[in-house]
């Protein structure tokens, strides 16, 4: 049976390649959509662990204004803990954490224009609770800006959401195309072997004996497509990781990294979908054109 | 062995292929089905093989009501029925012995069985010297012998022949009929649809005549008309 399957694959090479490539591309898109989803959910998880907001103060804040803000923080029952980061520390952070390899940028920035800040961890970690506490500081004199971690995450979430749906949609449409192509390949294979099939039925070959080579052929196409798809998803993730490591990427993006375990999980899923598409496509073809 | 009880088959709701046909064929009989083209001979044979389903009536093959067979049982039933045709239905890309072996391979017979049975059956049909030829290298009579070998290699209880001499000259046809007679003598029930008056008249076997789908004559040791 394996020999028959292989022979069929060779006979129908162009159509087989078309099916495999379509499945591969559609599964890559599907995989990348899943990758994006994992990335966003990782980022959200990581930020929720250390949910905090930052109260940036004016660089030229007066001592009395600073005292008022400090008093406010200490008085607030909603705040678990806080840390004051003065100008010197902020400046060091700016140089070392953000632009360690670009002294030309840091040279333009002097200690005096860097804002000091309070890093605050609220007691309640829900976004709504944080919002109430954080917005209370926005109007205080001497406060430049209040930045919530969730703000940035949400922005990226929204952006990736749109991309994800487009990629997912394209992936699903292509997957449908792949299924139809596999169906058609199997139909051609059945047509090419119609004499043999007629004889097989005549002499009493069991239905499964007639059916299985075609099912195997379709499943094989789906699986090869899945293998290529998984490879490209893996490649995409590696490229993303390298990009994160090599360039001066915003710190926040680091939390989007997806572990290799998760990538293999996605790969496993792609194999499952590929096998499913292949066997369903060939099953439909067999059911419609084999008449067993 | 074969029993029809008022079997009716209508194609596409209008073409009457068989109408209220009833007959009983015993084990080991040799039966000719005669009648004009379109009288229902081929339908008769196709119904026995369950390639077609009757619209009415019952068909028994080897004591079983074949309408009640489950789908996955149909192949088992077909293994008890060999079929040969006017156009032989040989696979052009396989040699003589491969064509015959194919029938055994696809029903899962082990290799060592195939190795002994294929030469034996080719010996029986007189083609032992042409085992490695391809169908297009053989004469019509030889091709029909290959198809008989393929139909009979699994020792079926019944052999259905749909105008097996239709494409052959009279001298060759005689050889094919001798072969079918031999197979019949071993105990195989043979049902053969034919237009060949000479064959029917010389062999004097049971004749069932069909006309517009009805059995109009069923005669032991009959003639063509």
């Amino acid at each position: 049976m394996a020999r028959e399957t292989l022979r069929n694959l060779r006979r129908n090479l162009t159509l087989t390649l078309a099916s495999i490539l379509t499945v591969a591309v559609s599964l890559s898109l599907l995989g990348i959509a899943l990758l994006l989803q994992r990335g966003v959910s990782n980022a959200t998880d990581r930020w929720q662990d250390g949910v905090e907001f930052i109260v940036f103060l004016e660089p030229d804040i007066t001592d009395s204004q600073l005292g008022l803000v400090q008093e406010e923080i200490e008085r607030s029952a909603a705040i678990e803990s806080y840390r004051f980061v003065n100008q010197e520390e902020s400046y060091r952070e700016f140089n070392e954490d953000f632009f360690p390899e670009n002294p030309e940028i840091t040279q333009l920035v002097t200690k005096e224009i860097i804002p000091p800040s309070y890093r605050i961890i609220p007691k309640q970690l829900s976004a709504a609770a944080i919002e109430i506490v954080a917005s209370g500081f926005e109007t205080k004199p001497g406060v430049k800006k209040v930045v919530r971690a969730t703000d940035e995450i949400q922005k990226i979430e929204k952006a990736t959401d749109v991309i994800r749906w487009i990629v997912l949609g394209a992936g699903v449409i292509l997957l449908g195309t792949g299924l139809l192509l596999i169906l058609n390949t199997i139909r051609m294979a059945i047509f090419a072997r119609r004499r043999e099939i007629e004889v097989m039925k005549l002499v009493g070959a069991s239905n499964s004996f007639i059916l299985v080579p075609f099912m195997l052929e379709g499943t094989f196409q789906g699986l090869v497509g899945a293998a290529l798809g998984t490879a490209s998803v893996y490649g995409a993730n590696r490229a993303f990781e390298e990009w994160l490591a090599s360039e001066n990427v915003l710190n926040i993006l680091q939390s989007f990294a997806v572990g290799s375990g998760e990538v293999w999980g996605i790969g496993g899923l792609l194999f499952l979908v590929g096998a499913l598409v292949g066997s369903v496509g060939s099953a439909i073809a067999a059911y419609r054109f084999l008449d067993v | 062995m074969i029993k029809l009880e008022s079997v009716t088959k209508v194609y596409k709701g209008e073409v009457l292929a068989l109408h209220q046909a009833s007959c009983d064929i015993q084990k080991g009989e040799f039966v000719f089905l005669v009648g004009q083209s379109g009288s229902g001979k081929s339908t008769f044979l196709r119904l026995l093989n369950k390639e077609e389903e009757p619209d009415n009536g019952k068909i028994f093959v080897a004591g079983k009501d074949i309408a009640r067979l489950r789908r996955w049982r149909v192949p088992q039933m077909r293994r008890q029925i060999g079929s040969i045709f006017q156009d032989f239905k040989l696979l052009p890309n396989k040699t003589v012995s491969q064509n015959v072996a194919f029938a055994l391979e696809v029903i899962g017979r082990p290799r060592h069985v195939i190795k002994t049975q294929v030469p034996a059956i080719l010996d029986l049909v007189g083609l032992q010297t042409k085992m490695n030829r391809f169908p297009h290298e053989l004469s019509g009579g030889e091709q029909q012998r290959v198809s008989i070998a393929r139909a009979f290699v699994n020792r079926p209880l019944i052999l259905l022949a749909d105008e097996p001499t239709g494409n052959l000259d009279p001298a060759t046809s005689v050889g094919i009929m001798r072969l079918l007679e031999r197979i019949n003598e071993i105990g195989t029930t043979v049902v053969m649809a034919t237009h060949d008056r000479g064959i029917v008249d010389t062999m004097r076997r049971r004749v069932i005549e069909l006309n517009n789908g009805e059995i109009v004559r069923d005669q032991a040791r009959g003639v063509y008309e």
Side-chain angles (χ1 to χ4, degrees):
Chain A
M1 262 194 249
R3 203 181 45 194
E4 292 283 345
T5 309
L6 264 174
R7 235 183 35 200
N8 282 348
L9 285 170
R10 236 195 352 251
R11 179 156 33 202
N12 244 327
L13 199 62
T14 45
L15 255 177
T16 303
L17 276 179
S19 317
I20 288 175
L21 286 179
T22 312
V23 173
V25 172
S26 63
L27 288 180
S28 320
L29 291 179
L30 228 59
I32 285 166
L34 288 170
L35 211 57
L36 275 174
Q37 188 184 23
R38 285 305 324 157
V40 170
S41 110
N42 281 352
T44 318
D45 283 354
R46 272 167 223 176
W47 279 82
Q48 263 162 3
D49 281 349
V51 171
E52 56 177 10
F53 61 90
I54 304 172
V55 178
F56 285 107
L57 306 167
E58 296 289 356
D60 53 357
I61 187 169
T62 63
D63 285 349
S64 66
Q65 283 172 330
L66 187 66
L68 281 173
V69 174
Q70 170 98 19
E71 199 179 315
E72 175 77 22
I73 290 170
E74 277 172 356
R75 239 185 16 209
S76 173
I79 287 170
E80 176 76 35
S81 65
Y82 72 94
R83 187 164 71 91
F84 179 69
V85 182
N86 63 25
Q87 273 178 308
E88 260 164 70
E89 207 179 329
S90 291
Y91 182 65
R92 202 162 3 94
E93 203 175 60
F94 180 80
N95 281 345
E96 286 169 10
D97 290 357
F98 293 107
F99 301 103
E101 283 147 29
N102 298 60
E104 67 275 13
I105 293 179
T106 46
Q107 271 162 16
L108 298 174
V109 180
T110 59
K111 200 170 72 179
E112 285 67 37
I113 64 169
I114 295 274
S117 57
Y118 282 104
R119 309 280 159 89
I120 297 173
I121 298 176
K123 277 199 176 107
Q124 282 184 302
L125 294 181
S126 77
I130 293 164
E131 183 53 37
I132 292 168
V133 189
S135 59
F137 289 97
E138 257 165 355
T139 50
K140 289 275 176 293
V143 171
K144 188 175 182 181
K145 201 178 175 196
V146 178
V147 173
R148 306 148 184 88
T150 47
D151 286 351
E152 300 306 307
I153 292 289
Q154 269 170 4
K155 266 187 220 155
I156 292 166
E157 232 173 11
K158 256 185 205 145
T160 53
D161 233 26
V162 175
I163 298 167
R164 209 178 72 210
W165 279 114
I166 292 171
V167 172
L168 199 68
V172 167
I173 290 168
L174 266 174
L175 202 62
T177 316
L179 190 127
L180 290 178
L181 270 171
I182 287 177
L183 197 154
N184 203 39
T185 316
I186 300 305
R187 193 178 74 157
M188 299 292 278
I190 290 171
F191 184 74
R193 296 187 59 206
R194 65 195 180 285
R195 286 161 179 274
E196 280 165 69
I197 292 167
E198 190 187 3
V199 173
M200 283 194 218
K201 284 186 193 169
L202 216 57
V203 300
S206 67
N207 293 344
S208 61
F209 191 93
I210 300 174
L211 214 72
V212 166
F214 295 109
M215 297 282 287
L216 279 182
E217 190 182 335
T219 311
F220 177 80
Q221 291 176 15
L223 284 177
V224 173
L228 293 175
T230 304
S232 61
V233 169
Y234 183 77
N237 193 52
R238 279 296 292 276
F240 180 65
E241 276 173 353
E242 267 165 35
W243 179 68
L244 282 183
S246 68
E247 295 203 22
N248 304 307
V249 183
L250 278 177
N251 232 353
I252 198 161
L253 279 175
Q254 302 285 356
S255 57
F256 279 81
V258 175
S260 61
E262 287 168 317
V263 174
W264 291 124
I266 291 171
L269 192 72
L270 293 188
F271 268 90
L272 217 65
V273 174
L276 200 72
V277 164
S279 51
V280 166
S282 47
I284 295 172
Y287 179 78
R288 286 215 21 216
F289 305 110
L290 218 46
D291 188 33
V292 290
Chain B
M1 180 60 50
I2 297 168
K3 193 170 163 193
L4 271 68
E5 285 179 1
S6 48
V7 171
T8 297
K9 175 69 185 176
V10 185
Y11 286 115
K12 286 179 183 155
E14 41 185 293
V15 185
L16 194 63
L18 270 187
H19 182 61
Q20 300 278 327
S22 296
C23 67
D24 198 342
I25 297 170
Q26 300 301 317
K27 183 173 181 351
E29 270 196 278
F30 196 118
V31 180
F32 287 117
L33 278 179
V34 299
Q36 291 177 330
S37 297
S39 60
K41 302 189 299 290
S42 293
T43 302
F44 189 110
L45 295 178
R46 291 169 69 83
L47 284 169
L48 296 181
N49 218 349
K50 218 170 152 56
E51 282 180 72
E52 308 268 2
E53 305 289 332
D55 293 303
N56 229 318
K58 281 186 173 175
I59 301 169
F60 296 88
V61 172
K64 285 201 185 97
D65 181 353
I66 63 170
R68 300 176 66 160
L69 275 182
R70 299 205 176 274
R71 261 162 83 100
W72 62 274
R73 286 275 192 194
V74 173
Q76 305 288 334
M77 180 203 84
R78 287 188 182 149
R79 288 177 197 187
Q80 304 184 339
I81 304 175
S83 298
I84 60 174
F85 304 89
Q86 186 173 2
D87 61 355
F88 321 131
K89 296 195 193 300
L90 298 175
L91 300 174
N93 55 345
K94 288 189 194 292
T95 64
V96 167
S97 61
Q98 284 171 344
N99 260 285
V100 177
F102 185 72
L104 293 172
E105 282 164 9
V106 300
I107 60 172
R109 289 282 182 274
R111 206 177 285 260
H112 67 271
V113 172
I114 297 174
K115 251 186 182 160
T116 58
Q117 282 193 350
V118 171
I121 195 80
L122 286 175
D123 199 31
L124 178 80
V125 302
L127 285 175
Q128 61 274 48
T129 57
K130 306 205 165 170
M131 280 177 44
N132 297 320
R133 300 285 183 85
F134 284 92
H136 69 265
E137 298 172 323
L138 303 177
S139 71
E142 288 167 333
Q143 290 189 47
Q144 191 60 287
R145 284 170 189 273
V146 178
S147 99
I148 291 171
R150 182 178 66 190
F152 196 63
V153 68
N154 195 32
R155 306 288 155 155
L157 298 170
I158 299 166
L159 188 73
L160 304 179
D162 196 352
E163 306 210 23
T165 59
N167 278 345
L168 307 176
D169 60 67
T172 312
S173 299
V174 171
I176 295 295
M177 291 317 296
R178 288 238 174 86
L179 185 53
L180 291 182
E181 265 190 309
R182 261 186 89 181
I183 285 170
N184 176 238
E185 279 160 12
I186 303 169
T188 313
T189 310
V190 178
V191 183
M192 169 171 160
T194 187
H195 278 130
D196 198 322
R197 176 188 302 264
I199 288 172
V200 178
D201 287 350
T202 50
M203 283 181 65
R204 300 300 299 261
R205 299 297 187 116
R206 180 177 173 184
V207 172
I208 295 175
E209 184 179 348
L210 287 162
N211 189 14
N212 287 328
E214 292 193 45
I215 294 180
V216 293
R217 180 163 61 107
D218 188 346
Q219 188 180 15
R221 300 185 58 77
V223 290
Y224 190 75
E225 273 179 324

